[in-house]
Amino acid sequence: MTATSWQDGVYVALKKAGVRQIAYVPDAGHSRLIELAHADNDMHVVVCTTEEEGVALAAGAHLGGQRACLLMQSSGVGNTINMIGLPTTMHAPFLTLITMRGEWGEFNGWQVPMGSATETVLKAMGVHVKRADSKDEVVDMVAASASLAFGSAIPVAVLFSQRLIGAKVFVKEAE
Amino acid sequence: MPRSDETGLDRRAVVAELLRDPADTPGGELLVVTGLGSTTYDAGAAGDRAENFYLWGAMGGAAMIGLGVALAQPTRRVLVLTGDGEALMGMGALSTIAARAPANLSIAVMDNGQFAETGHQPSHTSLGTDLAAVAAACGWKTTLTATTMAQVTTLRPRLRREVLFAVVKISPADVPRFLPPRDAAALSVRFRAALGIAAD
């Protein structure tokens, strides 16, 4: 990963939006963002055991006067659904960046059911969903989504499509 | 399976003692996050205040909300006051919080061994789970279980000055309903206003 990757641009967009807390359940597609967050002394980074913890953390951050962002993969979205009612009921902002599994070139069928339902269930909970398919659009999309979430105090998710992040490679060609 | 005995402490007396004199807290008024169910009613009955954020939903989220507040407000003290059922649903948060080790967050679990709100079904704490032991295993350096009011009185200042995970064994007996405000947006606005946070 070079210092000029689109993930670096996304991190800058989060910083410009005033994000001070990042919660995550790891995903390979988020690894550069997670690395940047951990290297940033001005960012509170919280690794969660399950994704709904990050939704609750973001609500607490809002109560305490800070902005937060949750990084997760599409399979984790199912774990967050009831908790997303928290920011909605509070009229608090909620921003999440979601790496997609189970779509473009997926090798592992276990990822497909939740990946296929991700957008539908988020929308069912009232989350505004944006989808980035190319690196040309992703940084602007994150910046605009952060403005929407924090400016209008609503829940917003940006999906990073599997085509954008690249399908996970389980067995390298050389092997 | 046996139900908890009925000899535990009176929950209203325990919570009133733990939340008494909230200004007697380093850094300013104690910030309190309560869990869905009876601890929300208990905290309201002890005296509604802007620095209380009551959960009327989001079961399992109280501790992580507390962590978000604690990270955002490092000079203030945060107390998560919740029940055994709510803590059990968010048990992973005990690990997450211990890993982050905030210096200004304590958790007090009012443990009656039951899901009282839904008809007194036995909870896991009366079926073998020891939440203080769980917290210790997750990395909380100081955990304790209180069974007497004298211990609760000792606990009150410690929860505001140390990083503690405390379980208080309370009676499962029903207490009169007390319903604090439940408009989450209004609760959020007044909590933030009490912290001097300007509206976005």
Side-chain angles (χ1 to χ4, degrees):
Chain A
M1 200 69 67
T2 68
T4 55
S5 70
W6 62 265
Q7 288 94 341
D8 290 72
V10 167
Y11 194 76
V12 170
L14 293 178
K15 292 288 285 182
K16 282 183 179 167
V19 170
R20 296 290 315 283
Q21 298 190 23
I22 285 182
Y24 71 89
V25 174
D27 180 66
H30 281 315
S31 59
R32 178 63 181 160
L33 281 176
I34 292 166
E35 184 181 299
L36 289 166
H38 277 293
D40 183 350
N41 290 331
D42 203 34
M43 188 68 77
H44 299 297
V45 189
V46 179
V47 57
C48 298
T49 68
T50 179
E51 291 80 0
E52 65 265 40
E53 291 177 6
V55 182
L57 181 90
H62 175 71
L63 285 173
Q66 287 190 342
R67 292 175 171 183
C69 180
L70 169 62
L71 311 180
M72 60 177 159
Q73 67 169 265
S74 51
S75 303
V77 169
N79 297 340
T80 67
I81 294 304
N82 182 55
M83 200 63 79
I84 287 174
L86 173 65
T88 304
T89 310
M90 288 170 67
H91 298 180
F94 174 60
L95 177 66
T96 180
L97 308 182
I98 300 164
T99 46
M100 292 303 297
R101 294 290 307 271
E103 45 176 44
W104 184 266
E106 179 62 61
F107 162 86
N108 180 0
W110 295 59
Q111 296 282 357
V112 174
M114 193 64 234
S116 303
T118 294
E119 188 163 343
T120 303
V121 296
L122 286 169
K123 285 182 171 172
M125 285 305 294
V127 178
H128 295 249
V129 181
K130 311 292 176 191
R131 181 185 172 90
D133 282 310
S134 84
K135 51 188 174 185
D136 298 333
E137 63 181 350
V138 61
V139 174
D140 283 351
M141 192 174 288
V142 170
S145 298
S147 294
L148 184 63
F150 298 120
S152 301
I154 56 174
V156 182
V158 183
L159 310 184
F160 294 171
S161 81
Q162 199 162 6
R163 192 171 190 183
L164 169 66
I165 59 176
K168 181 169 179 175
V169 177
F170 280 85
V171 183
K172 294 194 170 57
E173 304 245 348
E175 297 165 16
Chain B
M1 281 298 187
R3 299 256 302 237
S4 298
D5 63 39
E6 306 267 337
T7 60
L9 301 172
D10 174 71
R11 61 182 312 140
R12 289 286 158 80
V14 169
V15 172
E17 175 62 17
L18 291 180
L19 300 185
R20 181 171 60 79
D21 198 4
D24 175 31
T25 306
E29 284 268 340
L30 181 66
L31 307 177
V32 179
V33 178
T34 67
L36 172 65
S38 299
T39 52
T40 280
Y41 315 145
D42 296 335
D48 182 38
R49 50 197 283 277
E51 295 86 355
N52 288 357
F53 187 78
Y54 311 109
L55 291 193
W56 282 86
M59 186 166 174
M64 287 302 297
I65 294 171
L67 178 62
V69 176
L71 292 175
Q73 294 286 334
T75 66
R76 301 292 293 264
R77 292 290 315 196
V78 179
L79 174 64
V80 173
L81 177 75
T82 191
D84 49 303
E86 208 273 348
L88 285 160
M89 190 174 283
M91 215 149 75
L94 300 182
S95 190
T96 296
I97 295 169
R100 196 62 185 69
N104 58 334
L105 174 66
S106 285
I107 298 178
V109 178
M110 302 299 107
D111 183 4
N112 59 8
Q114 300 185 1
F115 296 99
E117 184 69 21
T118 51
H120 296 287
Q121 299 87 352
S123 85
H124 305 66
T125 62
S126 60
L127 301 171
T129 298
D130 176 344
L131 278 172
V134 170
C138 287
W140 285 73
K141 300 282 189 289
T142 312
T143 65
L144 55 86
T145 299
T147 56
T148 69
M149 276 308 289
Q151 290 170 331
V152 170
T153 299
T154 307
L155 195 53
R156 185 187 71 92
R158 293 187 65 191
L159 284 167
R160 304 175 190 192
R161 286 163 180 85
E162 301 173 38
V163 177
L164 276 189
F165 181 91
V167 172
V168 181
K169 293 293 187 181
I170 57 165
S171 165
D174 283 323
V175 294
R177 275 273 192 245
F178 184 96
L179 305 182
R182 64 180 181 278
D183 178 335
L187 290 168
S188 172
V189 165
R190 73 173 192 171
F191 189 96
R192 284 163 54 92
L195 285 170
I197 300 163
D200 279 325

